[in-house]
Amino acid sequence: MLTAAVAVWTPAGLAAAPAAHAEVVDVAYQCRTEIGDRSAVSPVDITAERKGDAYAITMTFDKGVSDSPVELPKGVMTPRADLVLGGDDQGTVQVKGVPNAAAIPAFTPIRIGTLTGTYTPRADGTVTLTAGRLTVHALGMDAAVCTASNKPGPSLTLTVTGLPGKDAPPPAGSTEEDEADGLPGGELPRTGGLSTTTALGTLGGTVLLGGAGGLLWLTRRPRPARP
């Protein structure tokens, strides 16, 4: 049994806290291949490292799950897997490996190695990750598609907390109506170079000047000639 300590994001920053529990789980894979069905049991380990609002996921296989009737040259085999989410989140997360660094002899178990991916939670809560479908892509095709036949338990349990924007209280002194007006505290959004008060004052001055000009025009208008 393995226990991983994952950093938990809090408003004050990153603080080390036990936020994940990882356990090596034996997964009985049933694989459909081009040369018939295969089966193998491999211990699977899934761990996570908090990176901001997401988790870097690592899935490790201790044993191979299939083989090939021909030698697989270097760089032609790439594995990928779906991890099934449970608990307070649903769906799948895909993790992927790198191409094989060396040739794999014929009829030799294909070692999957380490697969990596990213999981981005949508809300705070407790989330489990369980080994799902495994696919071995080789020689330009999905050479082996494997599913877990023994309904394995979760390999990783995450306690997700502190996601920004999730159940966070509004800023002090602000209300929902204030935020609807555009700025915290009820301040009107500024769309020009002048504030609302300055603009109204300028408009009032313009009206006053216009009125004075009209008055001067009326007082200086030529009088009609007397008979």
Side-chain angles (χ1 to χ4, degrees), residues 41-59:
V41 177
S42 177
V44 171
D45 183 22
I46 302 175
T47 59
E49 179 182 0
R50 184 75 179 256
K51 292 183 179 296
D53 299 337
Y55 289 88
I57 304 296
T58 301
M59 182 182 191

Side-chain angles (χ1 to χ4, degrees), residues 15 32 44 57 59 69 76 81 91-92 106 133 146 167 184 197 221 226:
R32 292 184 291 104
V44 171
I57 304 296
M59 182 182 191
V76 302
T92 59
R133 181 175 59 185
C146 309
D167 301 326
T197 304
R221 185 173 58 182
R226 296 182 178 179

Side-chain angles (χ1 to χ4, degrees), residues 26-121:
D26 288 337
V27 181
Y29 282 105
Q30 295 290 333
C31 304
R32 292 184 291 104
T33 77
E34 296 298 322
I35 58 173
D37 294 342
R38 295 287 189 272
S39 62
V41 177
S42 177
V44 171
D45 183 22
I46 302 175
T47 59
E49 179 182 0
R50 184 75 179 256
K51 292 183 179 296
D53 299 337
Y55 289 88
I57 304 296
T58 301
M59 182 182 191
T60 304
F61 291 80
D62 287 346
K63 295 180 180 179
V65 297
S66 184
D67 54 21
S68 171
V70 297
E71 178 179 297
L72 297 179
K74 174 183 176 180
V76 302
M77 186 278 293
T78 304
R80 66 181 186 272
D82 293 329
L83 306 182
V84 181
L85 299 175
D88 293 325
D89 202 355
Q90 303 296 317
T92 59
V93 174
Q94 188 174 98
V95 289
K96 188 176 181 179
V98 298
N100 54 306
I104 302 174
F107 300 105
T108 299
I110 298 173
R111 297 193 64 84
I112 304 301
T114 300
L115 284 66
T116 58
T118 301
Y119 166 54
T120 304

Side-chain angles (χ1 to χ4, degrees), residues 173-194:
S174 68
T175 64
E176 293 183 359
E177 293 181 357
D178 295 337
E179 294 175 359
D181 289 338
L183 291 177
E187 183 180 354
L188 293 174
R190 299 177 181 179
T191 57
L194 298 177

Side-chain angles (χ1 to χ4, degrees), residues 158-172:
L158 292 175
T159 301
V160 180
T161 59
L163 291 181
K166 308 294 185 182
D167 301 326

